[in-house]
Amino acid sequence: MAITLWDLTGAEADRRFSPYCWRIKLALRHKGLEYATIPWRLIDKGVIAFSGQGKVPVIKDGETVVSDSWTIANYLEDTYPDRPSLFGGEGGRATGRFVVDWAELALMAGIFPMIAADINGILDAETQAYFRSTRETFLGRTLEAAQAERETRMESFRRGLVPLRRMLKFQPFISGAAAGWHDYAAFSVFQWARCASPLQLLAADDPVHAWRERMLDLFDGFARKAVGFPV
Amino acid sequence: MAITLWDLTGAEADRRFSPYCWRIKLALRHKGLEYATIPWRLIDKGVIAFSGQGKVPVIKDGETVVSDSWTIANYLEDTYPDRPSLFGGEGGRATGRFVVDWAELALMAGIFPMIAADINGILDAETQAYFRSTRETFLGRTLEAAQAERETRMESFRRGLVPLRRMLKFQPFISGAAAGWHDYAAFSVFQWARCASPLQLLAADDPVHAWRERMLDLFDGFARKAVGFPV
């Protein structure tokens, strides 16, 4: 029986932009597990109340409900040990957590202000009101004011990619010779950005750009084919 | 036969302050391998010319010479597979490289200007001339001018520790339940700082401080007993 994934969507039902859902969709493909998605909006808290919390991703696998992308990744690795490993052993699992937290600071926190108004632009009107209210409180200014600073923020963002850029001199993926959880955790943030915004985050000659291209090509171009902006 | 390690030293022969050597000394203890160190100064390039390059760590294991801390770590893991694993599998090895590069940017580059003059202070006069010349070119200002900015740099440095701090909510070490290469790669930078400078880099209530305490306790307090400043 296929796994069900509640997957964040914009005004268009096929614009699936959550980085946390993207890393799980890629993890499910990595494991070769069948799944079906249910589009879910930020304001549809009641729909996923059965999970005991209010955020996606949520998966239902048979009678088992799991939420939080890190918890889901560990669930998939432990429940389907005969499928290709997401982590590549216990050291990879442990550092999988570190990469999640690095992606949160260096990627998410860096990119969010630069595309805050663009994200709002892909939402339906009802969700926009919720998004604007909660995110402007978080940012301490309007979405448009935050996004207007993108030129001055870009250099610092790209400098923060140094660990990723340097690592790519040694190997094609963070997880090593082939992509794995560490790559999905980081790439999903770039995929979130391209689903929501035309902003070009990476210079064409950046090794991080070449890595992102490899990630877009995985699973027969799965992420590249998704509704989003060209990068 | 014991492994020989050329180990960076200050004016006092026992003040061994290189982060790259520290991560190897910890890796050698992790593997339970006997080793002897030879103190080496930054200007003693000729002494390690046999290694084909001019930086420590350099190890000699029988007739095998290996330099560069990442290369040495891989050599130890592959040459002594029956000893405790440094990486915890191939995923841990791959992300071992990522943590090295993260430590370089978030830790080394953040700390160096704050302790540049203090490092100079632990060197002998001959090495000081070399250090000042090369490092002031790198910094674009005097060692003292760089260090004078430490108060204004500290907040940004501590904010950059967020990935480490958040990860520590989930597990006691970066490598997981027990310390491994990822911890040695990151901790070695804090150990470098405390060997050279009395600057307090971490607030006492920071979870990163508690992790550093655990690292100082490893191997019967090996790093804590080293010549350095209290933290």
Side-chain angles (χ1 to χ4, degrees):
Chain A
M1 195 176 64
I3 291 170
T4 303
L5 168 70
W6 280 261
D7 191 16
L8 188 66
T9 185
E12 298 165 79
D14 283 343
R15 193 177 294 271
R16 307 295 178 88
F17 66 104
S18 162
Y20 308 108
C21 292
W22 267 107
R23 57 186 66 163
I24 294 306
K25 286 181 280 189
L26 290 158
L28 287 162
R29 297 211 169 223
H30 183 102
K31 286 277 183 193
L33 295 167
E34 302 238 334
Y35 68 94
T37 63
I38 297 179
W40 180 88
R41 299 180 304 165
L42 282 171
I43 54 175
D44 296 335
K45 302 294 186 191
V47 173
I48 56 168
F50 66 91
S51 72
Q53 52 86 61
K55 291 177 180 172
V56 291
V58 170
I59 66 163
K60 191 167 182 194
D61 184 14
E63 293 307 304
T64 305
V65 173
V66 192
S67 58
D68 176 77
S69 68
W70 175 242
T71 308
I72 294 171
N74 281 277
Y75 167 82
L76 295 174
E77 186 78 339
D78 294 337
T79 308
Y80 301 100
D82 298 338
R83 304 297 185 108
S85 173
L86 284 170
F87 298 132
E90 288 310 304
R93 186 195 296 257
T95 51
R97 180 69 234 178
F98 182 75
V99 175
V100 162
D101 290 322
W102 175 79
E104 195 75 24
L105 180 75
L107 305 182
M108 284 283 284
I111 294 171
F112 180 60
M114 297 196 286
I115 64 170
D118 287 344
I119 295 174
N120 196 54
I122 64 165
L123 305 175
D124 63 279
E126 196 179 352
T127 308
Q128 280 180 337
Y130 169 81
F131 183 81
R132 181 175 292 280
S133 161
T134 53
R135 272 50 174 184
E136 292 190 344
T137 301
F138 171 78
L139 289 165
R141 52 207 189 289
T142 66
L143 303 176
E144 291 73 17
Q147 186 162 308
E149 298 164 9
R150 56 165 61 159
E151 279 77 15
T152 59
R153 286 179 172 273
M154 186 64 85
E155 188 187 333
S156 159
F157 166 71
R158 288 182 176 176
R159 196 167 51 239
L161 299 177
V162 164
L164 190 51
R165 196 174 289 126
R166 286 188 60 159
M167 178 275 304
L168 290 167
K169 290 183 188 171
F170 292 83
Q171 55 201 42
F173 296 100
I174 312 175
S175 298
W181 171 256
H182 316 92
D183 298 281
Y184 307 143
F187 166 76
S188 60
V189 185
F190 288 101
Q191 180 70 355
W192 160 68
R194 74 174 279 273
C195 287
S197 172
L199 181 64
Q200 298 295 307
L201 291 168
L202 300 171
D205 62 352
D206 188 336
V208 179
H209 186 285
W211 164 79
R212 189 180 58 181
E213 287 291 303
R214 291 194 289 279
M215 296 301 296
L216 287 164
D217 287 339
L218 290 178
F219 312 119
D220 198 25
F222 171 54
R224 196 185 291 283
K225 290 172 187 165
V227 172
F229 294 87
V231 286
Chain B
M1 196 176 64
I3 291 170
T4 303
L5 168 69
W6 280 262
D7 191 16
L8 188 67
T9 184
E12 297 166 80
D14 283 343
R15 193 178 294 272
R16 307 296 178 85
F17 66 103
S18 161
Y20 308 108
C21 293
W22 267 106
R23 57 186 67 162
I24 294 306
K25 286 180 281 189
L26 290 158
L28 287 163
R29 297 209 169 225
H30 182 102
K31 285 275 182 196
L33 295 166
E34 302 240 332
Y35 68 94
T37 63
I38 297 179
W40 180 89
R41 299 178 306 164
L42 282 170
I43 54 176
D44 297 336
K45 302 294 185 191
V47 174
I48 56 167
F50 68 88
S51 72
Q53 52 85 61
K55 291 178 180 171
V56 292
V58 170
I59 66 163
K60 192 168 181 194
D61 185 13
E63 292 307 304
T64 304
V65 174
V66 192
S67 59
D68 177 78
S69 69
W70 175 240
T71 308
I72 294 171
N74 281 276
Y75 167 81
L76 296 175
E77 186 79 340
D78 295 336
T79 307
Y80 301 100
D82 298 337
R83 304 297 185 110
S85 173
L86 284 170
F87 299 132
E90 288 310 302
R93 185 194 297 257
T95 51
R97 180 68 234 178
F98 182 75
V99 174
V100 163
D101 292 322
W102 176 79
E104 195 76 24
L105 180 76
L107 304 182
M108 286 283 283
I111 294 171
F112 180 61
M114 296 196 287
I115 65 170
D118 287 345
I119 295 175
N120 195 55
I122 64 164
L123 304 175
D124 64 278
E126 196 180 352
T127 308
Q128 281 180 336
Y130 169 81
F131 183 81
R132 180 175 292 281
S133 161
T134 53
R135 272 48 174 187
E136 291 190 343
T137 300
F138 171 78
L139 290 165
R141 53 206 189 288
T142 65
L143 303 176
E144 290 73 16
Q147 186 162 308
E149 299 164 9
R150 56 165 63 158
E151 280 77 14
T152 59
R153 287 179 172 274
M154 187 64 86
E155 188 187 333
S156 158
F157 166 71
R158 289 182 175 176
R159 196 167 51 238
L161 299 177
V162 164
L164 190 51
R165 197 174 289 127
R166 285 189 59 159
M167 179 275 303
L168 290 167
K169 290 184 190 171
F170 292 85
Q171 55 201 45
F173 296 101
I174 312 176
S175 298
W181 170 256
H182 315 92
D183 298 281
Y184 307 144
F187 166 75
S188 60
V189 185
F190 288 101
Q191 180 70 353
W192 160 70
R194 75 175 279 273
C195 286
S197 172
L199 181 64
Q200 298 296 306
L201 290 168
L202 300 171
D205 62 352
D206 188 337
V208 179
H209 185 285
W211 164 80
R212 187 179 60 180
E213 288 291 304
R214 291 193 290 278
M215 296 302 296
L216 288 163
D217 286 339
L218 291 178
F219 311 120
D220 199 25
F222 171 54
R224 195 186 292 282
K225 290 172 188 167
V227 173
F229 294 87
V231 287

